Coordinates of all heavy atoms in Angstrom, one line a residue:
M54 N 29.4 49.3 135.0 CA 28.6 50.5 135.1 C 29.4 51.6 134.5 O 30.6 51.8 134.6 CB 28.5 50.8 136.6 CG 27.7 52.0 136.9 SD 27.5 52.3 138.7 CE 26.4 53.6 138.6
S55 N 28.7 52.4 133.8 CA 29.3 53.6 133.1 C 29.1 54.8 133.9 O 28.3 55.0 134.8 CB 28.7 53.7 131.7 OG 27.4 54.1 131.8
S56 N 30.0 55.8 133.5 CA 29.9 57.1 134.1 C 29.7 58.1 133.0 O 29.4 57.8 131.9 CB 31.3 57.4 134.8 OG 31.5 56.5 135.9
Q57 N 29.8 59.4 133.4 CA 29.6 60.5 132.4 C 30.8 61.4 132.5 O 31.3 61.7 133.6 CB 28.3 61.2 132.7 CG 27.1 60.3 132.4 CD 25.8 61.1 132.6 OE1 25.8 62.1 133.3 NE2 24.8 60.7 131.9
G58 N 31.2 62.0 131.4 CA 32.1 63.0 131.3 C 31.6 64.2 130.5 O 30.5 64.0 129.9
T59 N 32.2 65.3 130.6 CA 31.7 66.5 129.9 C 32.8 67.0 128.9 O 34.0 67.0 129.3 CB 31.3 67.6 130.9 OG1 30.4 67.0 131.8 CG2 30.7 68.8 130.2
I60 N 32.4 67.5 127.8 CA 33.4 68.0 126.8 C 32.7 69.2 126.1 O 31.5 69.3 126.0 CB 33.8 66.9 125.7 CG1 34.9 67.4 124.9 CG2 32.6 66.5 124.9 CD1 35.6 66.4 124.1
L61 N 33.6 70.2 125.8 CA 33.1 71.3 125.0 C 34.3 71.7 124.1 O 35.4 71.2 124.2 CB 32.7 72.5 125.9 CG 33.7 73.0 127.0 CD1 34.7 74.0 126.4 CD2 33.0 73.7 128.1
A62 N 34.0 72.6 123.2 CA 35.0 73.1 122.2 C 35.1 74.6 122.3 O 34.1 75.3 122.6 CB 34.7 72.6 120.8
R63 N 36.3 75.1 122.1 CA 36.6 76.5 122.0 C 37.2 76.8 120.7 O 38.2 76.2 120.3 CB 37.5 76.9 123.1 CG 37.8 78.4 123.2 CD 38.6 78.7 124.5 NE 39.2 80.0 124.3 CZ 40.5 80.2 124.1 NH1 41.3 79.2 124.0 NH2 40.9 81.4 124.0
V64 N 36.5 77.7 119.9 CA 36.9 78.0 118.5 C 37.4 79.5 118.5 O 36.7 80.4 118.9 CB 35.8 77.8 117.5 CG1 36.3 78.1 116.1 CG2 35.3 76.4 117.6
Y65 N 38.6 79.7 118.0 CA 39.2 81.0 117.9 C 40.1 81.1 116.7 O 40.5 80.1 116.1 CB 39.9 81.4 119.2 CG 41.1 80.4 119.6 CD1 42.4 80.6 119.1 CD2 40.9 79.3 120.4 CE1 43.4 79.7 119.4 CE2 41.9 78.5 120.7 CZ 43.1 78.7 120.2 OH 44.2 77.8 120.5
T66 N 40.5 82.3 116.4 CA 41.4 82.6 115.2 C 42.6 83.3 115.7 O 42.5 84.1 116.6 CB 40.6 83.3 114.1 OG1 41.5 83.5 113.0 CG2 40.2 84.7 114.5
S67 N 43.7 83.1 115.0 CA 45.0 83.8 115.2 C 45.6 83.5 116.5 O 45.0 82.9 117.5 CB 44.9 85.3 115.0 OG 44.4 85.9 116.2
D68 N 46.9 83.9 116.7 CA 47.6 83.7 117.9 C 47.0 84.6 119.0 O 47.3 84.3 120.2 CB 49.1 84.1 117.7 CG 49.8 83.0 116.9 OD1 49.4 81.8 116.8 OD2 50.8 83.4 116.2
A69 N 46.3 85.6 118.6 CA 45.6 86.4 119.6 C 44.4 85.7 120.3 O 43.8 86.3 121.2 CB 45.2 87.8 119.0
Q70 N 44.0 84.6 119.7 CA 42.9 83.8 120.2 C 41.6 84.6 120.2 O 40.9 84.6 121.2 CB 43.2 83.2 121.6 CG 44.4 82.2 121.5 CD 44.7 81.4 122.8 OE1 43.8 81.4 123.7 NE2 45.8 80.8 122.8
L71 N 41.3 85.2 119.1 CA 40.0 85.9 119.0 C 38.9 84.9 118.8 O 38.9 84.1 117.9 CB 40.1 86.9 117.8 CG 41.3 87.9 117.8 CD1 41.4 88.6 116.5 CD2 41.1 88.8 119.0
P72 N 37.9 85.0 119.6 CA 36.8 84.0 119.6 C 35.9 84.1 118.3 O 35.7 85.2 117.8 CB 35.9 84.3 120.8 CG 36.3 85.7 121.2 CD 37.7 86.0 120.7
L73 N 35.5 83.0 117.8 CA 34.6 82.9 116.6 C 33.2 82.4 117.1 O 33.1 81.3 117.6 CB 35.1 82.0 115.6 CG 36.4 82.5 114.8 CD1 36.9 81.4 113.9 CD2 36.1 83.8 114.1
G74 N 32.2 83.2 117.0 CA 30.9 82.8 117.4 C 30.1 82.3 116.2 O 30.4 82.6 115.1
G75 N 29.1 81.5 116.5 CA 28.2 80.9 115.5 C 28.8 79.8 114.6 O 28.3 79.5 113.6
V76 N 29.9 79.2 115.1 CA 30.6 78.2 114.3 C 30.0 76.8 114.7 O 29.9 76.5 115.9 CB 32.1 78.1 114.7 CG1 32.8 77.0 113.9 CG2 32.7 79.5 114.3
P77 N 29.6 76.0 113.7 CA 29.0 74.7 114.0 C 30.2 73.7 114.3 O 31.2 73.7 113.6 CB 28.4 74.3 112.6 CG 29.0 75.1 111.6 CD 29.5 76.4 112.3
V78 N 30.0 73.0 115.4 CA 31.0 72.0 115.9 C 30.3 70.7 116.0 O 29.2 70.6 116.7 CB 31.6 72.5 117.2 CG1 32.6 71.5 117.7 CG2 32.2 73.9 117.1
T79 N 30.8 69.7 115.4 CA 30.2 68.3 115.5 C 31.1 67.5 116.5 O 32.3 67.6 116.5 CB 30.1 67.6 114.2 OG1 31.4 67.4 113.6 CG2 29.1 68.3 113.2
F80 N 30.4 66.7 117.3 CA 31.0 65.8 118.2 C 30.5 64.4 117.8 O 29.3 64.2 117.7 CB 30.6 66.0 119.6 CG 31.0 67.4 120.2 CD1 30.2 68.5 120.0 CD2 32.2 67.5 120.9 CE1 30.6 69.7 120.5 CE2 32.6 68.7 121.4 CZ 31.8 69.8 121.2
S81 N 31.4 63.5 117.5 CA 31.0 62.1 117.0 C 32.0 61.1 117.6 O 33.0 61.5 118.2 CB 31.0 62.0 115.5 OG 32.3 62.3 115.0
R82 N 31.6 59.8 117.4 CA 32.5 58.8 117.9 C 32.4 57.6 116.9 O 31.4 57.4 116.2 CB 32.2 58.3 119.3 CG 30.9 57.6 119.4 CD 30.6 57.1 120.8 NE 29.3 56.6 120.9 CZ 28.9 56.0 122.0 NH1 29.6 55.9 123.1 NH2 27.6 55.5 122.0
L83 N 33.4 56.8 116.9 CA 33.5 55.6 116.1 C 33.0 54.5 116.8 O 33.4 54.2 118.0 CB 35.0 55.4 115.6 CG 35.2 54.4 114.5 CD1 34.5 54.9 113.2 CD2 36.7 54.3 114.2
L84 N 32.0 53.8 116.3 CA 31.4 52.6 116.9 C 32.3 51.4 116.7 O 33.0 51.3 115.7 CB 30.0 52.4 116.4 CG 29.0 53.5 116.7 CD1 27.7 53.2 116.0 CD2 28.8 53.7 118.2
P85 N 32.1 50.3 117.5 CA 33.0 49.1 117.3 C 32.8 48.5 115.9 O 33.7 47.9 115.4 CB 32.4 48.2 118.4 CG 31.9 49.1 119.4 CD 31.3 50.2 118.7
D86 N 31.6 48.6 115.3 CA 31.4 48.0 114.0 C 31.9 48.9 112.8 O 31.7 48.6 111.6 CB 29.9 47.7 113.7 CG 29.0 48.9 113.7 OD1 29.5 50.1 113.8 OD2 27.8 48.7 113.7
G87 N 32.6 50.1 113.1 CA 33.2 50.9 112.1 C 32.3 52.1 111.7 O 32.8 53.0 111.0
R88 N 31.0 52.1 112.1 CA 30.2 53.2 111.7 C 30.5 54.4 112.7 O 31.0 54.2 113.8 CB 28.7 52.8 111.9 CG 28.2 51.8 110.9 CD 26.8 51.4 111.1 NE 26.6 50.9 112.4 CZ 25.5 51.2 113.2 NH1 24.6 52.0 112.8 NH2 25.4 50.6 114.4
R89 N 30.1 55.6 112.2 CA 30.3 56.8 113.0 C 29.0 57.2 113.5 O 28.0 57.2 112.9 CB 30.9 57.9 112.1 CG 31.1 59.2 112.8 CD 32.2 60.1 112.2 NE 33.4 59.4 112.0 CZ 34.3 59.1 113.0 NH1 34.1 59.5 114.2 NH2 35.4 58.5 112.7
Q90 N 29.0 57.6 114.8 CA 27.8 58.0 115.5 C 27.9 59.5 115.8 O 28.9 59.9 116.5 CB 27.5 57.3 116.8 CG 26.3 57.7 117.6 CD 26.2 57.0 118.9 OE1 27.2 56.7 119.5 NE2 25.0 56.9 119.4
L91 N 27.0 60.3 115.4 CA 26.9 61.7 115.7 C 26.4 61.9 117.1 O 25.3 61.4 117.4 CB 26.1 62.5 114.7 CG 25.9 64.0 115.0 CD1 27.2 64.7 114.8 CD2 24.8 64.6 114.0
L92 N 27.2 62.5 118.0 CA 26.7 62.7 119.4 C 26.0 64.0 119.5 O 25.0 64.1 120.2 CB 27.9 62.7 120.3 CG 28.7 61.4 120.3 CD1 30.0 61.5 121.2 CD2 27.9 60.2 120.9
A93 N 26.5 65.0 118.8 CA 25.8 66.3 118.9 C 26.4 67.3 117.9 O 27.5 67.2 117.4 CB 26.0 66.9 120.3
L94 N 25.5 68.3 117.6 CA 26.0 69.4 116.8 C 25.7 70.6 117.7 O 24.6 70.8 118.1 CB 25.2 69.6 115.5 CG 25.3 70.9 114.7 CD1 26.8 71.0 114.2 CD2 24.4 70.9 113.5
R95 N 26.8 71.4 118.0 CA 26.6 72.5 118.8 C 27.2 73.8 118.1 O 28.1 73.6 117.2 CB 27.4 72.4 120.1 CG 27.0 71.2 121.0 CD 25.8 71.6 121.8 NE 25.7 70.7 123.0 CZ 24.8 69.7 123.0 NH1 24.1 69.4 121.9 NH2 24.7 68.9 124.1
F96 N 26.7 74.9 118.4 CA 27.2 76.2 117.8 C 27.9 77.0 118.9 O 27.5 77.0 120.1 CB 26.1 77.0 117.2 CG 25.6 76.4 116.0 CD1 24.6 75.4 116.0 CD2 26.1 76.8 114.7 CE1 24.1 74.9 114.9 CE2 25.6 76.2 113.6 CZ 24.6 75.3 113.6
T97 N 29.1 77.6 118.6 CA 29.8 78.4 119.5 C 29.0 79.7 119.8 O 28.3 80.2 119.0 CB 31.2 78.8 119.0 OG1 31.1 79.5 117.8 CG2 32.0 77.6 118.8
N98 N 29.2 80.2 121.1 CA 28.6 81.5 121.5 C 29.5 82.6 121.1 O 30.5 82.4 120.4 CB 28.2 81.5 123.0 CG 29.5 81.3 123.8 OD1 30.6 81.5 123.4 ND2 29.2 80.8 125.1
D99 N 29.2 83.8 121.5 CA 30.1 85.0 121.2 C 31.5 84.9 121.8 O 32.4 85.5 121.3 CB 29.4 86.3 121.7 CG 28.1 86.6 120.9 OD1 28.0 86.1 119.8 OD2 27.3 87.4 121.4
S100 N 31.6 84.0 122.8 CA 33.0 83.8 123.4 C 33.7 82.7 122.6 O 34.8 82.3 123.1 CB 32.9 83.5 124.8 OG 32.3 84.6 125.5
G101 N 33.1 82.1 121.6 CA 33.7 81.0 120.9 C 33.7 79.7 121.5 O 34.4 78.7 121.1
V102 N 32.8 79.5 122.5 CA 32.7 78.2 123.2 C 31.3 77.6 123.0 O 30.3 78.2 123.0 CB 32.9 78.5 124.8 CG1 32.8 77.2 125.6 CG2 34.2 79.2 125.0
T103 N 31.4 76.2 122.8 CA 30.1 75.5 122.7 C 29.5 75.2 124.0 O 30.2 75.1 125.0 CB 30.4 74.1 122.0 OG1 31.2 73.3 122.8 CG2 30.9 74.3 120.6
P104 N 28.2 74.9 124.1 CA 27.7 74.4 125.4 C 28.3 73.1 125.7 O 28.7 72.3 124.7 CB 26.2 74.3 125.0 CG 25.9 75.2 123.9 CD 27.2 75.2 123.1
P105 N 28.4 72.7 126.9 CA 29.0 71.4 127.3 C 28.1 70.2 126.8 O 26.9 70.3 126.7 CB 29.0 71.4 128.8 CG 28.6 72.7 129.2 CD 28.0 73.5 128.1
L106 N 28.8 69.2 126.4 CA 28.1 67.9 126.0 C 28.5 66.8 127.0 O 29.7 66.6 127.3 CB 28.6 67.6 124.6 CG 28.2 66.2 124.1 CD1 26.7 66.2 123.8 CD2 28.9 65.9 122.8
T107 N 27.5 66.1 127.5 CA 27.7 65.0 128.4 C 27.9 63.8 127.6 O 27.1 63.5 126.7 CB 26.5 64.9 129.4 OG1 26.4 66.1 130.1 CG2 26.8 63.7 130.3
V108 N 29.0 63.0 127.9 CA 29.3 61.8 127.1 C 29.4 60.6 128.1 O 30.0 60.8 129.2 CB 30.7 62.0 126.4 CG1 31.1 60.8 125.6 CG2 30.6 63.2 125.5
E109 N 28.8 59.5 127.7 CA 29.0 58.3 128.5 C 30.4 57.8 128.4 O 31.0 57.8 127.3 CB 28.0 57.2 127.9 CG 28.0 56.0 128.9 CD 27.0 55.0 128.4 OE1 25.8 55.4 128.1 OE2 27.3 53.8 128.3
T110 N 31.0 57.5 129.6 CA 32.4 57.1 129.7 C 32.4 55.8 130.5 O 31.5 55.5 131.2 CB 33.2 58.2 130.4 OG1 32.7 58.4 131.7 CG2 33.2 59.5 129.6
P111 N 33.5 55.1 130.4 CA 33.7 53.9 131.3 C 33.7 54.3 132.7 O 34.0 55.4 133.1 CB 35.0 53.3 130.8 CG 35.3 53.8 129.5 CD 34.6 55.2 129.5
D112 N 33.3 53.4 133.6 CA 33.4 53.7 135.0 C 34.8 54.0 135.5 O 35.8 53.4 135.0 CB 32.8 52.4 135.8 CG 32.6 52.7 137.2 OD1 31.6 53.5 137.5 OD2 33.4 52.3 138.1
R113 N 34.9 54.9 136.4 CA 36.1 55.4 137.0 C 37.0 54.2 137.5 O 38.2 54.2 137.4 CB 35.9 56.4 138.1 CG 37.2 56.8 138.7 CD 36.9 57.8 139.8 NE 36.8 59.1 139.2 CZ 36.4 60.2 139.8 NH1 36.0 60.2 141.0 NH2 36.4 61.4 139.2
S114 N 36.4 53.2 138.0 CA 37.1 52.1 138.6 C 37.9 51.3 137.5 O 38.9 50.7 137.9 CB 36.2 51.1 139.3 OG 35.3 50.5 138.4
E115 N 37.5 51.4 136.3 CA 38.3 50.7 135.2 C 39.6 51.4 135.0 O 40.5 50.8 134.3 CB 37.4 50.7 133.9 CG 36.2 49.9 134.0 CD 35.4 49.8 132.7 OE1 36.1 49.9 131.6 OE2 34.2 49.8 132.8
S116 N 39.9 52.6 135.5 CA 41.1 53.2 135.3 C 42.1 52.8 136.4 O 43.3 53.2 136.3 CB 41.0 54.7 135.3 OG 40.6 55.2 136.6
L117 N 41.7 52.0 137.3 CA 42.6 51.6 138.4 C 43.4 50.4 138.1 O 44.3 50.1 138.9 CB 41.7 51.5 139.7 CG 40.9 52.7 140.1 CD1 40.1 52.4 141.3 CD2 41.8 53.9 140.4
T118 N 43.1 49.7 137.1 CA 43.8 48.4 136.8 C 44.7 48.6 135.6 O 44.3 48.9 134.5 CB 42.7 47.3 136.4 OG1 41.8 47.2 137.5 CG2 43.4 46.0 136.2
P119 N 46.0 48.5 135.8 CA 47.0 48.7 134.7 C 46.8 47.6 133.7 O 46.5 46.4 134.0 CB 48.3 48.6 135.4 CG 48.1 48.7 136.8 CD 46.7 48.3 137.1
G120 N 46.9 47.9 132.4 CA 46.9 46.9 131.4 C 45.5 46.4 131.1 O 45.3 45.3 130.5
A121 N 44.5 47.2 131.4 CA 43.1 46.8 131.1 C 42.9 46.6 129.6 O 43.6 47.3 128.8 CB 42.1 47.8 131.7
A122 N 42.0 45.8 129.2 CA 41.7 45.5 127.8 C 41.2 46.7 127.0 O 41.6 46.8 125.9 CB 40.7 44.3 127.7
K123 N 40.4 47.5 127.6 CA 39.9 48.7 126.9 C 40.3 49.9 127.7 O 40.5 49.9 128.9 CB 38.4 48.6 126.7 CG 37.6 48.6 127.9 CD 36.1 48.5 127.5 CE 35.2 48.8 128.6 NZ 33.8 48.8 128.3
P124 N 40.5 51.0 127.0 CA 40.9 52.3 127.7 C 39.8 52.7 128.7 O 38.6 52.6 128.5 CB 41.1 53.3 126.6 CG 40.3 52.7 125.4 CD 40.2 51.3 125.6
P125 N 40.3 53.4 129.8 CA 39.3 53.9 130.8 C 38.7 55.2 130.5 O 38.5 56.0 131.4 CB 40.2 53.9 132.1 CG 41.6 54.2 131.5 CD 41.6 53.5 130.2
Y126 N 38.6 55.5 129.2 CA 38.0 56.8 128.8 C 37.3 56.6 127.5 O 37.5 55.6 126.8 CB 39.1 57.9 128.6 CG 40.3 57.3 127.9 CD1 40.3 57.3 126.5 CD2 41.5 56.9 128.5 CE1 41.4 56.8 125.8 CE2 42.6 56.4 127.8 CZ 42.5 56.3 126.5 OH 43.6 55.8 125.8
A127 N 36.4 57.6 127.2 CA 35.7 57.6 125.9 C 36.5 58.4 124.9 O 37.2 59.3 125.3 CB 34.3 58.2 126.1
L128 N 36.4 58.0 123.6 CA 37.1 58.8 122.6 C 36.0 59.5 121.7 O 35.0 58.9 121.3 CB 37.9 57.8 121.7 CG 39.0 57.1 122.3 CD1 39.6 56.1 121.4 CD2 40.1 58.1 122.8
V129 N 36.2 60.8 121.5 CA 35.3 61.6 120.8 C 36.1 62.4 119.7 O 37.2 62.8 119.9 CB 34.6 62.7 121.7 CG1 33.7 63.6 121.0 CG2 33.8 61.9 122.8
D130 N 35.5 62.5 118.5 CA 36.1 63.2 117.4 C 35.3 64.6 117.3 O 34.1 64.6 117.4 CB 36.0 62.5 116.1 CG 36.7 61.2 116.1 OD1 37.8 61.1 116.8 OD2 36.3 60.2 115.4
I131 N 36.1 65.6 117.1 CA 35.5 67.0 117.1 C 35.9 67.6 115.8 O 37.0 67.5 115.3 CB 36.0 67.8 118.2 CG1 35.7 67.2 119.6 CG2 35.3 69.2 118.2 CD1 36.4 67.8 120.7
Q132 N 34.9 68.3 115.1 CA 35.1 68.9 113.8 C 34.4 70.3 113.8 O 33.3 70.4 114.2 CB 34.5 68.0 112.7 CG 34.9 68.4 111.4 CD 34.4 67.4 110.4 OE1 33.2 67.3 110.2 NE2 35.3 66.7 109.7
A133 N 35.2 71.3 113.4 CA 34.6 72.7 113.3 C 35.0 73.2 111.9 O 36.1 73.1 111.5 CB 35.2 73.5 114.4
E134 N 34.0 73.9 111.3 CA 34.3 74.5 110.0 C 33.5 75.8 109.9 O 32.3 75.8 110.1 CB 33.9 73.6 108.9 CG 34.2 74.0 107.5 CD 34.0 73.0 106.5 OE1 33.3 72.0 106.8 OE2 34.5 73.2 105.4
A135 N 34.2 76.9 109.7 CA 33.5 78.2 109.5 C 33.9 78.8 108.2 O 35.0 78.6 107.7 CB 34.0 79.2 110.6
P136 N 33.0 79.5 107.5 CA 33.3 80.1 106.2 C 34.5 81.0 106.3 O 34.7 81.8 107.2 CB 32.0 80.9 105.9 CG 30.9 80.3 106.7 CD 31.6 79.8 108.0
G137 N 35.4 80.8 105.3 CA 36.6 81.7 105.3 C 37.7 81.1 106.1 O 38.8 81.7 106.1
Y138 N 37.5 80.0 106.8 CA 38.6 79.4 107.6 C 38.7 77.9 107.2 O 37.8 77.3 106.7 CB 38.2 79.4 109.1 CG 38.1 80.9 109.6 CD1 36.9 81.6 109.6 CD2 39.3 81.5 110.1 CE1 36.9 82.9 110.1 CE2 39.2 82.8 110.6 CZ 38.0 83.5 110.6 OH 38.0 84.8 111.0
K139 N 39.9 77.4 107.5 CA 40.2 76.0 107.3 C 39.4 75.1 108.3 O 39.3 75.5 109.4 CB 41.7 75.8 107.4 CG 42.2 74.4 107.1 CD 43.7 74.4 107.2 CE 44.2 73.3 108.1 NZ 45.6 73.2 108.3
K140 N 38.9 74.0 107.8 CA 38.3 73.0 108.7 C 39.3 72.5 109.7 O 40.4 72.2 109.3 CB 37.6 71.9 107.9 CG 36.9 70.9 108.7 CD 36.0 69.9 108.0 CE 36.7 69.0 107.0 NZ 35.8 68.0 106.5
V141 N 38.9 72.3 110.9 CA 39.7 71.8 112.0 C 39.1 70.5 112.5 O 37.9 70.5 112.8 CB 39.9 72.8 113.1 CG1 40.7 72.2 114.2 CG2 40.5 74.1 112.6
E142 N 39.9 69.5 112.7 CA 39.5 68.2 113.2 C 40.4 67.8 114.4 O 41.6 67.9 114.2 CB 39.5 67.1 112.2 CG 38.5 67.4 111.0 CD 38.6 66.3 110.0 OE1 38.4 65.1 110.3 OE2 38.7 66.6 108.8
A143 N 39.8 67.3 115.4 CA 40.5 66.7 116.5 C 40.0 65.3 116.7 O 38.8 65.1 117.0 CB 40.4 67.5 117.8
S144 N 40.9 64.3 116.5 CA 40.4 62.9 116.5 C 40.9 62.3 117.8 O 41.9 62.6 118.4 CB 41.1 62.1 115.4 OG 40.7 62.7 114.2
A145 N 40.0 61.4 118.3 CA 40.3 60.6 119.5 C 40.6 61.4 120.7 O 41.6 61.2 121.4 CB 41.4 59.6 119.2
V146 N 39.8 62.4 121.0 CA 39.9 63.2 122.2 C 39.4 62.4 123.4 O 38.3 61.8 123.3 CB 39.1 64.5 122.0 CG1 39.1 65.3 123.3 CG2 39.6 65.4 120.8
Q147 N 40.2 62.3 124.4 CA 39.9 61.5 125.6 C 38.9 62.2 126.5 O 39.2 63.4 126.9 CB 41.1 61.1 126.3 CG 42.1 60.3 125.5 CD 43.4 60.0 126.2 OE1 43.5 60.2 127.4 NE2 44.3 59.4 125.5
V148 N 37.8 61.6 126.9 CA 36.9 62.1 127.9 C 36.8 61.2 129.0 O 36.6 60.0 128.9 CB 35.5 62.3 127.3 CG1 34.5 62.9 128.3 CG2 35.5 63.1 126.0

């Protein structure tokens, strides 16, 4: 049985963490056959935060057995790119 987790992204600039609104953020995952599946495209709000995305995750009980064959979490790749800024990627984010 699977469960659900929630993920969102926060986009900001500089050490002052100034929020960037209107930034497109993609959430995707790698399928077992090597293809990439787009889970969602979200845009940041004026606070630099995307709306939450619900992701299917393994059942919580799978995290109780040490040495399980597959990880007890889902892996999501996140990518954000805004004009005038360097593209940022976060790979294999655990949900």
Side-chain angles (χ1 to χ4, degrees):
M54 177 177 192
S55 64
S56 297
Q57 292 182 336
T59 304
I60 189 167
L61 55 82
R63 182 171 165 254
V64 180
Y65 58 88
T66 183
S67 83
D68 289 335
Q70 298 187 11
L71 303 171
L73 291 174
V76 176
V78 179
T79 59
F80 297 87
S81 63
R82 69 177 174 175
L83 194 60
L84 297 174
D86 64 6
R88 293 181 297 138
R89 180 153 307 282
Q90 179 186 30
L91 177 65
L92 300 172
L94 169 64
R95 301 276 199 263
F96 288 86
T97 58
N98 61 19
D99 290 339
S100 297
V102 180
T103 62
L106 172 66
T107 301
V108 178
E109 188 174 312
T110 61
D112 190 72
R113 176 181 276 172
S114 65
E115 293 183 35
S116 67
L117 302 176
T118 306
K123 64 181 193 175
Y126 45 80
L128 296 175
V129 176
D130 297 329
I131 305 170
Q132 190 175 66
E134 187 172 12
Y138 295 93
K139 184 174 124 182
K140 178 166 63 171
V141 176
E142 298 179 50
S144 299
V146 175
Q147 299 176 6
V148 180

